Amino acid sequence: MSDTPFGFGLPPEEPENGDEGKKKDPAGGGQGSGDQGGGNAFGANPFGFGGLPGMGGLGGADNPFAAMFGSLNPNDLGAAFQQLGQMLSYEGGPVNWDMAKQIARQVVAQGTSDGVKDASVGPAEKSAVEEAVRLADVWLDGVTSLPSGASTAVAWSRAEWVEATLPAWQQLVDPVAERVGTAMGDVLPEEMQAMAGPLIGMMRSMGGAMFGQQIGQAVGALAGEVVGSTDVGLPLGPAGKAALLPLNIETFGKDLGVPKDEVRLYLALREAAHQRLFAHVPWLRSHLFGAVEGYARGIKVDTSKLEEAVGQLDPTHPEQLQEALQQGMFQPEDTPEQKAALARLETALALVEGWVDAVVHEAAKSRLTSADALRETLRRRRASGGPAEQTFATLIGLELRPRRLRDASRLWASLTDARGVDGRDHLWEHPDMLPTASDLDDPDGFVHREQLDFSELDKMLGEAAQRDGDDEGEGKK
């Protein structure tokens, strides 16, 4: 998969260890999807449908129909027409999520580039995960005032991770896809749009299929890497369900020289810490997803470039449109509102990840001999283009700044020293109490600044609302 499958222009990478961040593309060829059907949506496979069942022959020959059907046997040909019919008959939202799930499962079934295939989780692995999460929660009780947030602990296969997280991906991606789909329909002049209704409908169906295919590739590839349900700093799984992927944990710890039990326990600490935060900070989930939607609303489409691409399109070379999209047709607007949305999202994610990093380190440092090494490995994984940054960039055109994680972690640690565990965690009671992006640049200034107590303000607002309700009731009498 291309680094910019939807044509978003991404900010430059800023990994802490130089060019390492450009070596790995978890949503692309390096994860076993690149060489097996549609790995590069902008290469020889026009419209990126090479990875679809029964459409392996779609390619860059002079005759696109010969390329599509020439090498197929009758059974494959029937499957190809069936798939094409499904694409053109789709009438749902901006993304064909049925197709996304189908392709993600297909990518998972192919296995990762190291030859590791997905497998069902056995009873012993399930038991080990449950015990690790249980112990992690016991350790976390002493380092945070937030109680356990996981009512259950589960061990997922890669395919189960795909099934469980697709609803969250839908909430994240649909706002961006909707914006892009609307812009594609707006390319036609207004007087032609009324006459071209069926054509616009077909374009949107194909657009939904394009998004579905590429998101499916990305999510399927990510399933080969993630170790839990919160790797991207967002609550992707069901509420209250701490989840780990034993197969990926084994791959993650393979060359670290750390006992498998310690690796599992450290990752269970991170998963359980995320669960506490999302379970007991009720506004956090909507705050994060709302920031994504705010960012999506600020995306603008260069319609002149799109019109030019459509006008010059050679029917025998439809990949030209994909190449035009890849050149950055969809860009964030350079407005104060868009900059604020971007800063709000980046800062919120950094604060979540920084709090988890600081809390887990405090819980593990005196108990696990490998705590420091595992902490640094995970930090470098994020900084060098791990699943969080790269997949987020692939799906919504946003690349997080890895340095913010370390800044946020230092700030939370300083707050613990200055105000104690309760004083630190008290800041999660209201979004306006949290540090801002500028506070991450000056953590000492924030730590020693007098903080507002919003509990009294909330109480006053509640009392005022009650009085207004009572007055309204008196007036009706």
Side-chain angles (χ1 to χ4, degrees):
M1 183 183 237
S2 164
D3 285 339
T4 53
F6 304 145
F8 295 106
L10 302 181
E13 296 189 40
E14 295 186 17
E16 293 172 333
N17 45 353
D19 293 332
E20 254 186 66
K22 299 175 184 176
K23 293 179 183 176
K24 184 178 179 187
D25 181 3
Q31 297 304 314
S33 60
D35 299 329
Q36 301 184 45
N40 182 353
F42 300 104
N45 296 327
F47 297 103
F49 295 135
L52 298 179
M55 298 188 73
L58 184 59
D62 289 338
N63 184 337
F65 294 100
M68 185 184 296
F69 302 123
S71 63
L72 301 181
N73 63 42
N75 291 334
D76 287 340
L77 185 60
F81 276 119
Q82 183 180 16
Q83 189 71 55
L84 186 60
Q86 290 174 354
M87 288 188 289
L88 294 179
S89 63
Y90 174 71
E91 296 180 349
V95 178
N96 188 330
W97 286 102
D98 289 338
M99 179 175 289
K101 181 167 75 170
Q102 178 184 357
I103 292 173
R105 292 293 297 265
Q106 186 180 29
V107 171
V108 165
Q110 290 170 354
T112 48
S113 59
D114 56 6
V116 177
K117 298 279 190 177
D118 192 23
S120 299
V121 181
E125 291 171 318
K126 291 180 180 179
S127 178
V129 166
E130 290 171 357
E131 177 60 23
V133 173
R134 186 197 66 77
L135 183 56
D137 262 335
V138 171
W139 290 4
L140 289 171
D141 282 339
V143 295
T144 173
S145 62
L146 299 180
S148 174
S151 55
T152 57
V154 294
W156 282 341
S157 66
R158 293 167 178 171
E160 288 172 326
W161 180 89
V162 169
E163 294 279 354
T165 63
L166 271 178
W169 289 119
Q170 182 172 355
Q171 190 174 351
L172 284 168
V173 176
D174 271 351
V176 180
E178 180 68 42
R179 181 74 186 88
V180 174
T182 300
M184 290 178 69
D186 290 343
V187 168
L188 292 174
E190 188 174 344
E191 60 273 12
M192 291 182 61
Q193 290 186 22
M195 301 169 58
L199 176 60
I200 293 176
M202 187 178 72
M203 285 177 61
R204 288 183 174 167
S205 294
M206 294 294 286
M210 265 177 57
F211 273 105
Q213 194 268 347
Q214 297 191 37
I215 291 166
Q217 287 279 354
V219 172
L222 185 62
E225 291 190 359
V226 293
V227 295
S229 71
T230 54
D231 275 26
V232 299
L234 291 167
L236 296 180
K241 187 171 287 188
L244 295 177
L245 283 73
L247 181 61
N248 291 356
I249 290 175
E250 185 173 349
T251 301
F252 170 78
K254 188 176 180 181
D255 300 319
L256 296 181
V258 176
K260 182 178 178 180
D261 289 347
E262 286 202 21
V263 174
R264 184 195 301 114
L265 184 50
Y266 191 87
L267 296 174
L269 281 165
R270 290 183 53 83
E271 177 74 10
H274 276 103
Q275 293 293 337
R276 288 181 181 232
L277 201 55
F278 289 119
H280 300 291
V281 182
W283 52 265
L284 184 56
R285 178 187 173 92
S286 60
H287 180 75
L288 289 169
F289 282 76
V292 173
E293 290 186 25
Y295 180 81
R297 283 195 298 270
I299 290 175
K300 66 177 180 179
V301 179
D302 188 340
T303 53
S304 63
K305 189 180 291 187
L306 184 57
E307 288 173 358
E308 182 181 355
V310 173
Q312 297 179 359
L313 182 63
D314 182 347
T316 64
H317 295 284
E319 69 274 8
Q320 290 175 357
L321 180 58
Q322 291 283 12
E323 291 169 0
L325 299 180
Q326 190 181 15
Q327 293 171 4
M329 190 171 295
F330 310 115
Q331 299 283 355
E333 286 195 74
D334 188 20
T335 64
E337 292 78 14
Q338 182 70 346
K339 289 178 180 178
L342 179 60
R344 186 166 62 252
L345 179 57
E346 288 181 335
T347 302
L349 286 169
L351 290 173
V352 168
E353 289 295 283
W355 183 88
V356 168
D357 180 78
V359 166
V360 167
H361 181 68
E362 188 66 26
K365 65 181 181 181
S366 62
R367 295 181 172 100
L368 298 178
T369 56
S370 57
D372 288 336
L374 288 168
R375 182 191 202 188
E376 188 59 27
T377 297
L378 285 161
R379 281 179 162 186
R380 289 182 177 273
R381 187 176 186 234
R382 294 293 302 272
S384 62
E389 292 78 29
Q390 291 290 349
T391 301
F392 224 61
T394 297
L395 295 182
I396 68 167
L398 170 68
E399 185 143 336
L400 306 178
R401 296 171 64 85
R403 69 180 180 84
R404 299 280 82 179
L405 166 60
R406 292 180 185 263
D407 293 339
S409 182
R410 281 193 292 268
L411 187 146
W412 288 119
S414 297
L415 282 166
T416 307
D417 294 338
R419 305 184 187 182
V421 168
D422 290 343
R424 177 200 65 200
D425 293 345
H426 173 67
L427 295 179
W428 288 107
E429 290 188 3
H430 197 285
D432 290 342
M433 295 175 68
L434 287 178
T436 63
S438 60
D439 292 325
L440 293 180
D441 296 325
D442 180 23
D444 289 338
F446 178 83
V447 169
H448 299 293
R449 186 187 311 155
E450 193 70 31
Q451 293 294 304
L452 296 174
D453 184 355
F454 279 84
S455 60
E456 285 300 318
L457 176 59
D458 288 341
K459 182 180 178 182
M460 291 170 59
L461 291 174
E463 291 174 350
Q466 181 64 42
R467 284 196 301 271
D468 289 343
D470 293 342
D471 292 344
E472 185 176 344
E474 288 294 330
K476 289 181 179 179
K477 291 179 182 179

mmCIF file of all heavy atoms in Angstrom, residues 406-440:
data_model
loop_
_atom_site.group_PDB
_atom_site.id
_atom_site.type_symbol
_atom_site.label_atom_id
_atom_site.label_comp_id
_atom_site.label_asym_id
_atom_site.label_seq_id
_atom_site.Cartn_x
_atom_site.Cartn_y
_atom_site.Cartn_z
ATOM 1 N N ARG A 406 7.422 11.667 24.574
ATOM 2 C CA ARG A 406 8.425 11.819 25.627
ATOM 3 C C ARG A 406 8.171 13.084 26.436
ATOM 4 O O ARG A 406 8.321 13.095 27.661
ATOM 5 C CB ARG A 406 9.831 11.839 25.015
ATOM 6 C CG ARG A 406 10.241 10.488 24.420
ATOM 7 C CD ARG A 406 11.643 10.553 23.828
ATOM 8 N NE ARG A 406 11.990 9.316 23.163
ATOM 9 C CZ ARG A 406 12.696 8.329 23.714
ATOM 10 N NH1 ARG A 406 13.134 8.449 24.959
ATOM 11 N NH2 ARG A 406 12.971 7.230 23.040
ATOM 12 N N ASP A 407 7.783 14.141 25.750
ATOM 13 C CA ASP A 407 7.482 15.386 26.467
ATOM 14 C C ASP A 407 6.334 15.179 27.444
ATOM 15 O O ASP A 407 6.380 15.623 28.599
ATOM 16 C CB ASP A 407 7.109 16.495 25.475
ATOM 17 C CG ASP A 407 8.289 16.908 24.592
ATOM 18 O OD1 ASP A 407 9.439 16.640 24.996
ATOM 19 O OD2 ASP A 407 8.046 17.482 23.525
ATOM 20 N N ALA A 408 5.278 14.498 26.978
ATOM 21 C CA ALA A 408 4.116 14.273 27.826
ATOM 22 C C ALA A 408 4.458 13.351 28.994
ATOM 23 O O ALA A 408 4.002 13.562 30.118
ATOM 24 C CB ALA A 408 2.970 13.684 27.003
ATOM 25 N N SER A 409 5.265 12.329 28.739
ATOM 26 C CA SER A 409 5.648 11.419 29.807
ATOM 27 C C SER A 409 6.441 12.136 30.897
ATOM 28 O O SER A 409 6.226 11.925 32.100
ATOM 29 C CB SER A 409 6.478 10.260 29.237
ATOM 30 O OG SER A 409 6.824 9.345 30.245
ATOM 31 N N ARG A 410 7.354 13.011 30.487
ATOM 32 C CA ARG A 410 8.129 13.784 31.464
ATOM 33 C C ARG A 410 7.218 14.697 32.275
ATOM 34 O O ARG A 410 7.403 14.874 33.482
ATOM 35 C CB ARG A 410 9.204 14.611 30.743
ATOM 36 C CG ARG A 410 10.439 13.817 30.351
ATOM 37 C CD ARG A 410 11.576 14.736 29.949
ATOM 38 N NE ARG A 410 11.289 15.432 28.696
ATOM 39 C CZ ARG A 410 11.654 14.978 27.499
ATOM 40 N NH1 ARG A 410 12.292 13.826 27.384
ATOM 41 N NH2 ARG A 410 11.372 15.661 26.407
ATOM 42 N N LEU A 411 6.232 15.298 31.617
ATOM 43 C CA LEU A 411 5.328 16.191 32.322
ATOM 44 C C LEU A 411 4.521 15.435 33.379
ATOM 45 O O LEU A 411 4.386 15.887 34.521
ATOM 46 C CB LEU A 411 4.391 16.882 31.325
ATOM 47 C CG LEU A 411 3.492 17.980 31.889
ATOM 48 C CD1 LEU A 411 3.272 19.076 30.852
ATOM 49 C CD2 LEU A 411 2.133 17.425 32.316
ATOM 50 N N TRP A 412 3.982 14.262 33.016
ATOM 51 C CA TRP A 412 3.198 13.487 33.980
ATOM 52 C C TRP A 412 4.071 13.024 35.147
ATOM 53 O O TRP A 412 3.615 13.001 36.303
ATOM 54 C CB TRP A 412 2.555 12.280 33.303
ATOM 55 C CG TRP A 412 1.414 12.610 32.385
ATOM 56 C CD1 TRP A 412 1.339 12.357 31.056
ATOM 57 C CD2 TRP A 412 0.172 13.240 32.726
ATOM 58 N NE1 TRP A 412 0.143 12.791 30.542
ATOM 59 C CE2 TRP A 412 -0.604 13.331 31.547
ATOM 60 C CE3 TRP A 412 -0.367 13.731 33.914
ATOM 61 C CZ2 TRP A 412 -1.872 13.896 31.515
ATOM 62 C CZ3 TRP A 412 -1.638 14.296 33.881
ATOM 63 C CH2 TRP A 412 -2.382 14.370 32.709
ATOM 64 N N ALA A 413 5.316 12.645 34.857
ATOM 65 C CA ALA A 413 6.216 12.225 35.932
ATOM 66 C C ALA A 413 6.516 13.389 36.871
ATOM 67 O O ALA A 413 6.553 13.220 38.102
ATOM 68 C CB ALA A 413 7.506 11.669 35.335
ATOM 69 N N SER A 414 6.709 14.586 36.306
ATOM 70 C CA SER A 414 6.967 15.770 37.136
ATOM 71 C C SER A 414 5.756 16.106 37.990
ATOM 72 O O SER A 414 5.887 16.503 39.155
ATOM 73 C CB SER A 414 7.323 16.962 36.251
ATOM 74 O OG SER A 414 8.531 16.725 35.537
ATOM 75 N N LEU A 415 4.555 15.939 37.417
ATOM 76 C CA LEU A 415 3.335 16.193 38.175
ATOM 77 C C LEU A 415 3.199 15.215 39.341
ATOM 78 O O LEU A 415 2.744 15.589 40.431
ATOM 79 C CB LEU A 415 2.110 16.076 37.262
ATOM 80 C CG LEU A 415 1.827 17.280 36.353
ATOM 81 C CD1 LEU A 415 0.806 16.909 35.276
ATOM 82 C CD2 LEU A 415 1.335 18.469 37.167
ATOM 83 N N THR A 416 3.601 13.969 39.123
ATOM 84 C CA THR A 416 3.551 12.984 40.205
ATOM 85 C C THR A 416 4.457 13.410 41.349
ATOM 86 O O THR A 416 4.075 13.338 42.528
ATOM 87 C CB THR A 416 3.986 11.597 39.685
ATOM 88 O OG1 THR A 416 3.220 11.257 38.525
ATOM 89 C CG2 THR A 416 3.767 10.537 40.750
ATOM 90 N N ASP A 417 5.670 13.856 41.007
ATOM 91 C CA ASP A 417 6.614 14.299 42.038
ATOM 92 C C ASP A 417 6.091 15.521 42.791
ATOM 93 O O ASP A 417 6.249 15.629 44.005
ATOM 94 C CB ASP A 417 7.972 14.623 41.408
ATOM 95 C CG ASP A 417 8.656 13.387 40.844
ATOM 96 O OD1 ASP A 417 8.312 12.274 41.289
ATOM 97 O OD2 ASP A 417 9.517 13.530 39.948
ATOM 98 N N ALA A 418 5.463 16.442 42.057
ATOM 99 C CA ALA A 418 5.060 17.714 42.661
ATOM 100 C C ALA A 418 3.718 17.632 43.384
ATOM 101 O O ALA A 418 3.517 18.286 44.416
ATOM 102 C CB ALA A 418 4.998 18.799 41.587
ATOM 103 N N ARG A 419 2.769 16.840 42.859
ATOM 104 C CA ARG A 419 1.408 16.851 43.405
ATOM 105 C C ARG A 419 0.923 15.503 43.908
ATOM 106 O O ARG A 419 -0.179 15.402 44.452
ATOM 107 C CB ARG A 419 0.423 17.363 42.346
ATOM 108 C CG ARG A 419 0.800 18.729 41.782
ATOM 109 C CD ARG A 419 -0.259 19.204 40.819
ATOM 110 N NE ARG A 419 0.162 20.426 40.136
ATOM 111 C CZ ARG A 419 -0.580 21.093 39.260
ATOM 112 N NH1 ARG A 419 -1.791 20.649 38.984
ATOM 113 N NH2 ARG A 419 -0.129 22.188 38.680
ATOM 114 N N GLY A 420 1.731 14.462 43.676
ATOM 115 C CA GLY A 420 1.312 13.130 44.070
ATOM 116 C C GLY A 420 0.397 12.496 43.039
ATOM 117 O O GLY A 420 -0.038 13.136 42.068
ATOM 118 N N VAL A 421 0.106 11.229 43.251
ATOM 119 C CA VAL A 421 -0.716 10.475 42.303
ATOM 120 C C VAL A 421 -2.116 11.076 42.168
ATOM 121 O O VAL A 421 -2.630 11.268 41.058
ATOM 122 C CB VAL A 421 -0.808 9.000 42.753
ATOM 123 C CG1 VAL A 421 -1.879 8.252 41.962
ATOM 124 C CG2 VAL A 421 0.539 8.311 42.584
ATOM 125 N N ASP A 422 -2.753 11.406 43.275
ATOM 126 C CA ASP A 422 -4.106 11.956 43.219
ATOM 127 C C ASP A 422 -4.132 13.307 42.509
ATOM 128 O O ASP A 422 -5.044 13.574 41.705
ATOM 129 C CB ASP A 422 -4.670 12.110 44.636
ATOM 130 C CG ASP A 422 -4.959 10.771 45.295
ATOM 131 O OD1 ASP A 422 -5.039 9.764 44.570
ATOM 132 O OD2 ASP A 422 -5.098 10.731 46.530
ATOM 133 N N GLY A 423 -3.159 14.165 42.819
ATOM 134 C CA GLY A 423 -3.108 15.470 42.168
ATOM 135 C C GLY A 423 -2.880 15.364 40.680
ATOM 136 O O GLY A 423 -3.458 16.128 39.891
ATOM 137 N N ARG A 424 -2.054 14.402 40.273
ATOM 138 C CA ARG A 424 -1.819 14.189 38.833
ATOM 139 C C ARG A 424 -3.078 13.709 38.145
ATOM 140 O O ARG A 424 -3.505 14.257 37.113
ATOM 141 C CB ARG A 424 -0.694 13.162 38.663
ATOM 142 C CG ARG A 424 -0.379 12.789 37.223
ATOM 143 C CD ARG A 424 0.347 11.461 37.170
ATOM 144 N NE ARG A 424 -0.503 10.362 37.638
ATOM 145 C CZ ARG A 424 -0.031 9.203 38.059
ATOM 146 N NH1 ARG A 424 1.275 8.990 38.125
ATOM 147 N NH2 ARG A 424 -0.876 8.253 38.451
ATOM 148 N N ASP A 425 -3.698 12.659 38.679
ATOM 149 C CA ASP A 425 -4.860 12.070 38.010
ATOM 150 C C ASP A 425 -6.095 12.961 38.093
ATOM 151 O O ASP A 425 -7.028 12.813 37.289
ATOM 152 C CB ASP A 425 -5.166 10.697 38.619
ATOM 153 C CG ASP A 425 -4.064 9.678 38.334
ATOM 154 O OD1 ASP A 425 -3.228 9.943 37.453
ATOM 155 O OD2 ASP A 425 -4.043 8.624 39.001
ATOM 156 N N HIS A 426 -6.112 13.896 39.056
ATOM 157 C CA HIS A 426 -7.234 14.836 39.183
ATOM 158 C C HIS A 426 -7.398 15.680 37.920
ATOM 159 O O HIS A 426 -8.504 16.122 37.597
ATOM 160 C CB HIS A 426 -6.993 15.739 40.395
ATOM 161 C CG HIS A 426 -7.997 16.848 40.537
ATOM 162 N ND1 HIS A 426 -9.329 16.630 40.834
ATOM 163 C CD2 HIS A 426 -7.860 18.206 40.414
ATOM 164 C CE1 HIS A 426 -9.966 17.790 40.878
ATOM 165 N NE2 HIS A 426 -9.100 18.760 40.631
ATOM 166 N N LEU A 427 -6.307 15.868 37.171
ATOM 167 C CA LEU A 427 -6.375 16.711 35.969
ATOM 168 C C LEU A 427 -7.259 16.109 34.885
ATOM 169 O O LEU A 427 -7.715 16.830 33.993
ATOM 170 C CB LEU A 427 -4.967 16.942 35.410
ATOM 171 C CG LEU A 427 -4.011 17.739 36.301
ATOM 172 C CD1 LEU A 427 -2.652 17.864 35.636
ATOM 173 C CD2 LEU A 427 -4.576 19.123 36.581
ATOM 174 N N TRP A 428 -7.527 14.800 34.954
ATOM 175 C CA TRP A 428 -8.371 14.173 33.940
ATOM 176 C C TRP A 428 -9.863 14.426 34.196
ATOM 177 O O TRP A 428 -10.701 14.003 33.399
ATOM 178 C CB TRP A 428 -8.128 12.659 33.920
ATOM 179 C CG TRP A 428 -6.803 12.264 33.340
ATOM 180 C CD1 TRP A 428 -5.714 11.804 34.018
ATOM 181 C CD2 TRP A 428 -6.428 12.277 31.951
ATOM 182 N NE1 TRP A 428 -4.678 11.538 33.151
ATOM 183 C CE2 TRP A 428 -5.099 11.818 31.874
ATOM 184 C CE3 TRP A 428 -7.085 12.630 30.775
ATOM 185 C CZ2 TRP A 428 -4.409 11.709 30.672
ATOM 186 C CZ3 TRP A 428 -6.403 12.520 29.566
ATOM 187 C CH2 TRP A 428 -5.083 12.068 29.520
ATOM 188 N N GLU A 429 -10.203 15.144 35.259
ATOM 189 C CA GLU A 429 -11.618 15.354 35.567
ATOM 190 C C GLU A 429 -12.301 16.305 34.588
ATOM 191 O O GLU A 429 -13.519 16.275 34.438
ATOM 192 C CB GLU A 429 -11.769 15.883 36.996
ATOM 193 C CG GLU A 429 -11.429 14.853 38.063
ATOM 194 C CD GLU A 429 -11.778 15.341 39.456
ATOM 195 O OE1 GLU A 429 -12.339 16.457 39.576
ATOM 196 O OE2 GLU A 429 -11.493 14.618 40.427
ATOM 197 N N HIS A 430 -11.526 17.139 33.923
ATOM 198 C CA HIS A 430 -12.123 18.102 32.992
ATOM 199 C C HIS A 430 -11.117 18.392 31.877
ATOM 200 O O HIS A 430 -9.935 18.576 32.152
ATOM 201 C CB HIS A 430 -12.468 19.402 33.725
ATOM 202 C CG HIS A 430 -13.426 20.275 32.979
ATOM 203 N ND1 HIS A 430 -13.045 21.010 31.878
ATOM 204 C CD2 HIS A 430 -14.750 20.538 33.174
ATOM 205 C CE1 HIS A 430 -14.091 21.689 31.436
ATOM 206 N NE2 HIS A 430 -15.139 21.411 32.197
ATOM 207 N N PRO A 431 -11.553 18.425 30.628
ATOM 208 C CA PRO A 431 -10.597 18.653 29.527
ATOM 209 C C PRO A 431 -9.852 19.976 29.627
ATOM 210 O O PRO A 431 -8.711 20.086 29.176
ATOM 211 C CB PRO A 431 -11.483 18.585 28.272
ATOM 212 C CG PRO A 431 -12.887 18.734 28.750
ATOM 213 C CD PRO A 431 -12.922 18.188 30.131
ATOM 214 N N ASP A 432 -10.491 20.988 30.216
ATOM 215 C CA ASP A 432 -9.828 22.289 30.312
ATOM 216 C C ASP A 432 -8.727 22.313 31.365
ATOM 217 O O ASP A 432 -7.979 23.290 31.454
ATOM 218 C CB ASP A 432 -10.859 23.376 30.630
ATOM 219 C CG ASP A 432 -11.790 23.648 29.464
ATOM 220 O OD1 ASP A 432 -11.432 23.265 28.334
ATOM 221 O OD2 ASP A 432 -12.874 24.208 29.681
ATOM 222 N N MET A 433 -8.634 21.263 32.171
ATOM 223 C CA MET A 433 -7.590 21.195 33.178
ATOM 224 C C MET A 433 -6.307 20.559 32.637
ATOM 225 O O MET A 433 -5.256 20.637 33.268
ATOM 226 C CB MET A 433 -8.083 20.401 34.401
ATOM 227 C CG MET A 433 -9.233 21.063 35.136
ATOM 228 S SD MET A 433 -9.891 20.022 36.478
ATOM 229 C CE MET A 433 -8.518 20.023 37.627
ATOM 230 N N LEU A 434 -6.388 19.921 31.481
ATOM 231 C CA LEU A 434 -5.230 19.208 30.937
ATOM 232 C C LEU A 434 -4.186 20.166 30.378
ATOM 233 O O LEU A 434 -4.508 21.296 29.977
ATOM 234 C CB LEU A 434 -5.677 18.259 29.823
ATOM 235 C CG LEU A 434 -6.434 17.002 30.251
ATOM 236 C CD1 LEU A 434 -6.849 16.215 29.023
ATOM 237 C CD2 LEU A 434 -5.585 16.145 31.184
ATOM 238 N N PRO A 435 -2.932 19.723 30.321
ATOM 239 C CA PRO A 435 -1.888 20.538 29.682
ATOM 240 C C PRO A 435 -2.199 20.766 28.209
ATOM 241 O O PRO A 435 -2.865 19.948 27.558
ATOM 242 C CB PRO A 435 -0.630 19.675 29.845
ATOM 243 C CG PRO A 435 -0.937 18.732 30.954
ATOM 244 C CD PRO A 435 -2.410 18.478 30.900
ATOM 245 N N THR A 436 -1.709 21.869 27.681
ATOM 246 C CA THR A 436 -1.863 22.188 26.265
ATOM 247 C C THR A 436 -0.552 21.876 25.526
ATOM 248 O O THR A 436 0.430 21.447 26.140
ATOM 249 C CB THR A 436 -2.193 23.675 26.088
ATOM 250 O OG1 THR A 436 -1.076 24.453 26.582
ATOM 251 C CG2 THR A 436 -3.453 24.046 26.854
ATOM 252 N N ALA A 437 -0.559 22.112 24.221
ATOM 253 C CA ALA A 437 0.656 21.886 23.440
ATOM 254 C C ALA A 437 1.795 22.763 23.946
ATOM 255 O O ALA A 437 2.945 22.316 24.033
ATOM 256 C CB ALA A 437 0.381 22.156 21.965
ATOM 257 N N SER A 438 1.509 24.000 24.291
ATOM 258 C CA SER A 438 2.561 24.885 24.799
ATOM 259 C C SER A 438 3.049 24.421 26.168
ATOM 260 O O SER A 438 4.221 24.615 26.522
ATOM 261 C CB SER A 438 2.046 26.327 24.879
ATOM 262 O OG SER A 438 0.928 26.418 25.737
ATOM 263 N N ASP A 439 2.176 23.781 26.955
ATOM 264 C CA ASP A 439 2.600 23.248 28.249
ATOM 265 C C ASP A 439 3.583 22.105 28.083
ATOM 266 O O ASP A 439 4.460 21.900 28.935
ATOM 267 C CB ASP A 439 1.389 22.767 29.052
ATOM 268 C CG ASP A 439 0.488 23.918 29.493
ATOM 269 O OD1 ASP A 439 1.020 25.001 29.784
ATOM 270 O OD2 ASP A 439 -0.742 23.727 29.526
ATOM 271 N N LEU A 440 3.443 21.341 26.996
ATOM 272 C CA LEU A 440 4.403 20.278 26.736
ATOM 273 C C LEU A 440 5.781 20.851 26.428
ATOM 274 O O LEU A 440 6.799 20.191 26.654
ATOM 275 C CB LEU A 440 3.929 19.397 25.575
ATOM 276 C CG LEU A 440 2.663 18.569 25.824
ATOM 277 C CD1 LEU A 440 2.316 17.751 24.593
ATOM 278 C CD2 LEU A 440 2.824 17.670 27.028
#
